[in-house]
Amino acid sequence: MIGRLAVLGVGLIGGSLAAAAKRAGVVRQVVGYGRSRDNLAEALALGLIDEVADSPEAAVTGADLVLLALPVGAMAAVFGRIAPHLGPDTLVTDAGSTKQDVIAAARAGLGAGAARFVPGHPIAGAEKSGAAAARADLYVGRNVILTPLRENAATAVTTVAELWRACGARVGEMGAAEHDRIFAAVSHLPHLAAFALVDELAGRPEAELYFRHAGSGFRDFTRIAGSSPVMWRDIALANRQALVAELDAYLSRLSAYRDALGAGDTDTLMQSFTRASAARSRWQ
Ligand code: NAD
């Protein structure tokens, strides 16, 4: 049982963890801090949190566990602010979509206290933001990846893993570099592709005509372009090295399609589409 959980950033991810942990009965009290007073008032009204803190320092004072669920670009400043206010046994974790940059920020901000920081990433979410989008069942049956630090105590990793499991998630572990490489391909690149296509069409004089006629394929492909621009700006920049490599590979694929179309090369298109269709069907 966690006595006091501090959630810094009570949006979709932080609010859902608070709601799920309360529902599971594994946390006694949740204090929330964030930048938007309206969002915190909503989180309080919805019962996601029990108390609003005016600062990150106040939020973490007396907390047993601290969850950072802010955009990854905002985490460095917060680690620095909370460091002097953490109790000797307070654990810190995060839900950021990138891990190497968050770990570097934790090491810089927490110093030796980074031993108590267990990095995490729930593979669950939506294109919606804010406390109003939070759901107690968001993590049920979903994966959560922890990328523990070598200096983490085994008990610290277990406590964080148990919290996610109590919320219904399956918990696995991997290295931070491997995490960032994989998610550049399966998450960050798809978001870039969706943003690019929607922005391209939206900038045309006839944008309204295109959107009016778009069907379910466009809806499926571009759903994630409705995601938070701040969050995705931060993710893209934080993981830019792996993302640029994936972008290059994707551009080269698109370029091969372009060449095949120009040459009327049905075989190349058919072979690639067939391989992709089979792989996508197997993944279901
Ligand atoms: P969100 O926009 O719903 O919530 C973020 C909250 O942080 C907001 O309430 C906002 O007011 C607050 N905030 C933003 N900047 C702040 C700052 N500088 N100081 C204090 N508060 C600040 O976003 P979310 O979807 O809950 O994402 C939170 C984290 O979880 C991000 O790091 C994101 O990468 C990660 N994540 C998101 C998803 C997803 O699909 N949405 C999935 C997995 C992980």
Side-chain angles (χ1 to χ4, degrees):
M1 167 69 94
I2 295 161
R4 188 172 163 92
L5 170 69
V7 178
L8 308 186
V10 193
L12 170 71
I13 294 296
S16 294
L17 182 82
K22 283 178 141 223
R23 189 173 75 166
V26 294
V27 59
R28 202 166 293 131
Q29 188 191 26
V30 182
V31 54
Y33 165 75
R35 211 169 39 177
S36 156
R37 302 297 305 181
D38 287 350
N39 183 65
L40 290 170
E42 178 131 42
L44 201 56
L46 290 169
L48 305 175
I49 57 175
D50 304 303
E51 200 182 302
V52 171
D54 288 333
S55 66
E57 294 87 339
V60 306
T61 300
D64 300 292
L65 181 69
V66 176
L67 170 74
L68 271 67
L70 314 154
V72 291
M75 289 196 190
V78 171
F79 279 121
R81 286 180 66 174
I82 64 173
H85 302 273
L86 297 171
D89 298 321
T90 307
L91 294 181
V92 183
T93 188
D94 81 305
S97 304
T98 52
K99 296 278 52 91
Q100 291 174 104
D101 65 307
V102 174
I103 290 170
R107 287 196 197 284
L110 301 179
R116 66 176 67 160
F117 173 61
V118 180
H121 176 203
I123 314 305
E127 69 283 10
K128 299 189 174 69
S129 303
R135 288 172 19 207
D137 65 354
L138 184 69
Y139 303 115
V140 175
R142 309 305 290 269
N143 292 326
V144 170
I145 295 172
L146 302 181
T147 61
L149 309 183
R150 56 184 172 279
E151 60 265 50
N152 285 153
T155 51
V157 179
T158 304
T159 300
V160 173
E162 285 305 322
L163 172 63
W164 285 112
R165 284 197 193 101
C167 299
R170 290 185 295 256
V171 181
E173 290 183 17
M174 67 169 69
E178 185 183 22
H179 169 281
D180 289 356
R181 184 169 50 79
I182 291 171
F183 285 91
V186 299
S187 173
H188 310 166
L189 175 68
H191 278 82
L192 242 66
F195 281 130
L197 177 61
V198 174
D199 191 33
E200 166 58 28
L201 297 186
R204 295 183 186 179
E206 288 183 304
E208 196 274 326
L209 186 68
Y210 289 105
F211 288 126
R212 181 152 31 99
H213 290 288
S216 60
F218 184 80
R219 187 177 298 280
D220 289 349
F221 185 77
T222 61
R223 175 182 62 80
I224 52 181
S227 302
S228 158
V230 171
M231 180 176 125
W232 282 97
R233 173 204 63 192
D234 284 5
I235 292 169
L237 288 171
N239 201 21
R240 75 185 93 173
Q241 205 181 344
L243 184 51
V244 164
E246 289 301 336
L247 206 46
D248 285 345
Y250 191 55
L251 287 170
S252 140
R253 287 283 178 162
L254 291 178
S255 173
Y257 283 178
R258 191 178 192 281
D259 291 347
L261 290 174
D265 177 355
T266 52
D267 287 353
T268 296
L269 293 176
M270 194 58 193
Q271 283 162 13
S272 179
F273 292 178
T274 302
R275 281 192 305 266
S277 175
R280 181 61 176 78
S281 300
R282 280 194 304 275
W283 179 74
Q284 283 299 348

